[in-house]
Amino acid sequence: MNTTAAQQHEVLVLGAGYAGLSAAIQLAARTRKRGNLRVTVINPYDTFTERLRLHMTATGQETAELNIPELLAGTGAYFVRGWVTAVDAEAKTVRVDDDRVLRYDTLVYGLGSVADTSTVPGVDDHAHTLNGPQDAAVLAHRLARPEGGTVVVGGSGLTGVEAAAEIAERHPELHVVLLGRQEPGAGMHPKAKAHLDTALARLGVDVRSGADVTKVLPDSVELADGTGIPATAVLWTSGTRVAPLAAAAGLDVDERGRVVTDGALRSVSHPDVYAVGDAAAIRQGYGVMHGTCQSGMPTGVHAALSILRVLAGKEPKPFRFGYYHTPVSLGRNDGVVQFTHPDGSPRRVVLTGKRAAKYKETVTASPWPTFARMKKMPASGAFWPHGGRYTRIRSTK
């Protein structure tokens, strides 16, 4: 029997990334016939950001435009376009665009992370980021100028590696310099790292490990050893930060501003708030998880199931997650896939070359069939992609 809006349990999902959409679709699809729970997703844009393809957007390649309301269609979830500007965890309200206030009974906090441009002077003013499609498109426009020059990619993590390889492949007229404190692929098995190094060399990427950027200027970067590198453009991929909204709301956060959660992904200070994806500090037996699409979607699914168990008067089950792989694209026809132990440490199993590129593309595309499955999900279970397999979560009943 349907209830009135006043009697409905209001769930607000902040952020429509991989984790937020997984939570929203699971919740709405599993309860749409009950009428006693309403799910509302709040996001600044109505198009989904494929973070796994932003290095492609940054080099002028067209990617599919995915509409969030269309992804939610048929689930019963509502969509609100706007910027979340404040959360009041005591009043259980969220302010949107400073002129709308929405009430919640349960909050799913999934606002994600962005590149940390605050640690090095000049980065915020003079460097590009891959925080979203708009930022990536601005860089693509800059790289398309015909004068050539040097592009410095700050950060030798996997985001920096993928971006440097993509830029070098699409713009061979540019000199691409990849800067970082560590060598690219430092945590990989020697076979995987060797292939990564060979691919970067083949593409002409100038790798400079042990480099510490101290300042970014309009036309160069300064290093800790006193030297400088002239730069037509700088792309910053070193480190991430989260929005300060959780801390400002009084939620318990870690040193990086991520919401500290219990085993069921609830805030340890405010159990009516669930944190998912990059915005959450989720501890497993091997340590605090690092944010990836691989882990983000399962956190969204588990938060949804935890909410449903609590509403049914049951205790939520603890979240358990183990990593499976690290896929890295090295241009469009090359890549490396490092398979891992559950704690993220490398196994000896590695894919390279075109097979790895195809594998990475399959992983990148996997959320869309997964969301489609979620929308049709029976009440008896849920699925998420886990290294090319689907892991089944048993019923909340």
Side-chain angles (χ1 to χ4, degrees), residues 12-17 40-47 68-69 72 78-87 94-102 110-111 243 245:
L12 295 186
V13 180
L14 308 188
T40 302
V41 181
I42 306 173
N43 199 66
Y45 310 106
D46 57 11
T47 54
I68 294 172
L72 294 173
Y78 296 86
F79 177 71
V80 172
R81 179 173 178 173
W83 289 92
V84 175
T85 55
V87 175
V94 171
R95 185 172 291 276
V96 181
D97 292 336
D98 286 335
D99 61 0
R100 289 177 287 176
V101 176
L102 303 181
L111 292 179
L245 292 173

Side-chain angles (χ1 to χ4, degrees), residues 263-350:
L265 306 186
R266 296 173 295 195
S267 162
V268 295
S269 60
H270 294 75
D272 50 1
V273 177
Y274 291 75
V276 296
D278 295 0
I282 302 169
R283 182 165 292 280
Q284 298 289 284
Y286 48 78
V288 177
M289 293 169 53
H290 59 269
T292 64
C293 172
Q294 180 184 179
S295 60
M297 292 182 71
T299 65
V301 170
H302 194 87
L305 299 180
S306 293
I307 291 169
L308 293 174
R309 286 188 66 86
V310 169
L311 292 179
K314 301 178 180 180
E315 279 296 310
K317 296 180 179 179
F319 178 71
R320 295 288 182 265
F321 178 81
Y323 296 100
Y324 182 77
H325 58 193
T326 302
V328 184
S329 64
L330 299 168
R332 291 300 82 216
N333 296 300
D334 195 2
V336 59
V337 179
Q338 172 68 73
F339 292 93
T340 68
H341 298 288
D343 63 358
S345 61
R347 295 168 58 200
R348 298 182 65 180
V349 183
V350 172

Side-chain angles (χ1 to χ4, degrees), residues 21-78:
L21 271 185
S22 296
I25 292 174
Q26 275 287 320
L27 273 172
R30 293 166 67 95
T31 60
R32 61 178 175 266
K33 295 181 180 180
R34 302 181 191 176
N36 61 349
L37 183 146
R38 180 163 61 183
V39 180
T40 302
V41 181
I42 306 173
N43 199 66
Y45 310 106
D46 57 11
T47 54
F48 182 84
T49 298
E50 284 194 281
R51 294 184 69 89
L52 298 178
R53 297 190 196 273
L54 286 177
H55 57 288
M56 296 170 61
T57 305
T59 54
Q61 300 174 69
E62 291 188 5
T63 59
E65 188 168 299
L66 301 160
N67 183 268
I68 294 172
E70 290 179 4
L71 291 172
L72 294 173
T75 66
Y78 296 86

